[in-house]
């Protein structure tokens, strides 16, 4: 086995160089963190589950014309991706009020938003990934005004596709976080992962506000049965097509 150089180790993934400078290898770990790593733990099998779900979703989105960094999935925990320069923004799309939106605005959990809300957070652990205004984002030159427009448009298109996809799985897509990168031609492409770590997913067959949770909120809020919820998402996702 070739031992590749480790480029970066994050909270949930490790990034390796490969023989090809345009290709990187991402290894999905079982480690889980929440609240800017104040809570740490492990979700058994999460790495492989998130790798499989992300790979499938990236392929589905690519088939619908969304440019993504996904190349292939050489093994259970590994994804080969195109090398990009990550834009230091977390682009969050919300369809239903939950999490920090409820905490910071007083909106009631489960309020269906009249239209999807797109928010930009500064990807900066030292600062605790703060919510940005558009003007602060531009002030810090984290993206150009044209890129902000494009990110907003792409995020809303992806939301439409993913919402439809999860609907077909009997799952409501409450909200999710995306990351984008710039390729060598300065084109924005979808990067990182799309998984129960980065989405809120509610089982439509369950009405109870705790039982319906199929995502990392089970870990964040100590709701139990974390592994089985992730497994259940994977089983449904892998069977479905957009
Ligand atoms: P929030 O309600 O905590 O702001 O989270 C919004 C969405 O973003 C939710 O689906 C979880 C996801 N998310 C991440 O993927 N990474 C993070 O660090 C945070 C805080 C949220």
């Amino acid at each position: 086995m070739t031992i590749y150089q480790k480029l970066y180790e994050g909270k949930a993934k490790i990034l390796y160089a490969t023989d090809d400078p345009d290709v990187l290898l991402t290894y999905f770990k079982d480690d889980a963190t929440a609240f800017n790593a104040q809570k740490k733990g492990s979700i058994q099998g999460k790495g492989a589950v998130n790798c499989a779900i992300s790979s499938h979703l990236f392929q589905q989105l690519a088939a619908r014309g969304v440019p993504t960094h996904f190349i292939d999935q050489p093994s259970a925990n590994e994804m080969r991706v195109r090398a990009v320069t990550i834009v230091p923004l977390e682009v969050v799309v919300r369809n239903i009020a939950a999490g920090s939106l409820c905490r910071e605005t007083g909106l009631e959990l489960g309020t269906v938003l009249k239209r999807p809300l797109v928010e930009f957070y500064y990807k900066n652990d030292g600062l605790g990934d703060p919510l940005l205004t558009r003007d602060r984002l531009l002030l810090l030159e984290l993206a150009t005004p044209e890129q902000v427009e494009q990110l907003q448009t792409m995020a809303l298109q992806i939301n439409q596709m993913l919402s439809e996809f999860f609907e077909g799985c009997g799952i409501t897509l409450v909200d999710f976080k995306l990351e984008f990168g710039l390729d060598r031609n300065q084109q924005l492409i979808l990067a990182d992962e799309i998984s129960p770590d980065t989405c809120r997913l509610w089982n439509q067959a369950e009405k109870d506000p705790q039982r319906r949770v199929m995502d990392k909120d089970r870990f964040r809020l100590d709701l139990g049965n974390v592994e089985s919820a992730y497994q259940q998402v994977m089983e449904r996702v892998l069977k479905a097509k957009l």
Side-chain angles (χ1 to χ4, degrees):
M1 196 189 108
T2 322
I3 305 296
Y4 290 126
Q5 187 200 347
K6 189 197 277 194
L7 297 177
Y8 173 79
E9 178 153 5
K11 287 176 279 197
K13 297 189 291 297
I14 308 174
L15 204 58
Y16 295 94
T18 71
D19 301 331
D20 181 341
D22 287 331
V23 177
L24 302 179
L25 188 79
T26 308
Y27 180 87
F28 285 69
K29 302 192 284 184
D30 287 354
D31 298 353
T33 63
F35 314 117
N36 204 16
Q38 289 180 69
K39 181 180 167 84
K40 287 197 177 102
S42 166
I43 301 171
Q44 209 194 336
K46 175 173 85 78
V49 167
N50 281 359
C51 187
I53 293 173
S54 289
S55 297
H56 190 75
L57 291 176
F58 281 137
Q59 288 174 85
Q60 297 297 310
L61 291 171
R64 290 285 199 99
V66 177
T68 87
H69 72 159
F70 177 82
I71 298 172
D72 59 14
Q73 191 195 349
S75 79
N77 287 63
E78 292 177 328
M79 188 190 285
R80 291 199 314 145
V81 300
R82 287 162 61 197
V84 293
T85 309
I86 290 288
V87 178
L89 292 171
E90 300 200 339
V91 183
V92 169
V93 184
R94 302 177 190 271
N95 297 305
I96 294 176
S100 68
L101 182 63
C102 295
R103 221 168 37 244
E104 292 168 7
T105 66
L107 269 176
E108 196 185 333
L109 174 69
T111 306
V112 177
L113 307 185
K114 290 211 174 97
R115 67 183 86 85
L117 176 66
V118 179
E119 298 183 309
F120 296 93
Y121 291 77
Y122 189 6
K123 191 173 152 58
N124 183 320
D125 284 339
L127 296 174
D129 297 343
L131 175 63
L132 291 167
T133 62
R134 303 288 160 119
D135 284 345
R136 283 187 181 183
L137 188 167
L138 296 174
L139 174 80
L140 296 174
E141 297 182 351
L142 302 176
T144 65
E146 295 73 28
Q147 287 170 341
V148 175
E149 275 309 304
Q150 211 193 329
L151 288 169
Q152 165 108 13
T153 305
M154 288 172 84
L156 287 171
Q157 286 169 347
I158 294 165
N159 180 46
Q160 190 98 41
M161 295 176 199
L162 289 181
S163 294
E164 203 180 297
F165 178 88
F166 280 111
E167 194 63 37
C169 302
I171 293 173
T172 299
L173 180 60
V174 174
D175 58 30
F176 59 97
K177 184 262 303 180
L178 300 174
E179 293 185 26
F180 292 85
L182 290 166
D183 68 11
R184 59 163 80 226
N185 303 316
Q186 295 297 105
Q187 292 303 304
L188 282 168
I189 69 174
L190 182 61
D192 195 49
E193 67 178 282
I194 307 173
S195 72
D197 270 13
T198 63
C199 301
R200 282 197 175 89
L201 303 167
W202 289 353
N203 185 354
Q204 294 176 351
E206 296 279 2
K207 293 293 161 252
D208 179 84
Q210 295 197 349
R211 289 172 68 97
R212 70 186 172 192
V213 174
M214 303 180 84
D215 56 72
K216 197 175 167 191
D217 271 352
R218 296 209 76 81
F219 169 79
R220 293 189 189 99
L221 308 173
D222 294 316
L223 301 179
N225 300 320
V226 188
E227 284 84 2
S228 57
Y230 274 62
Q231 283 288 340
Q232 183 59 231
V233 173
M234 181 175 73
E235 279 167 30
R236 295 196 201 182
V237 162
L238 295 189
K239 273 191 241 153
K241 274 200 155 67
L242 242 174

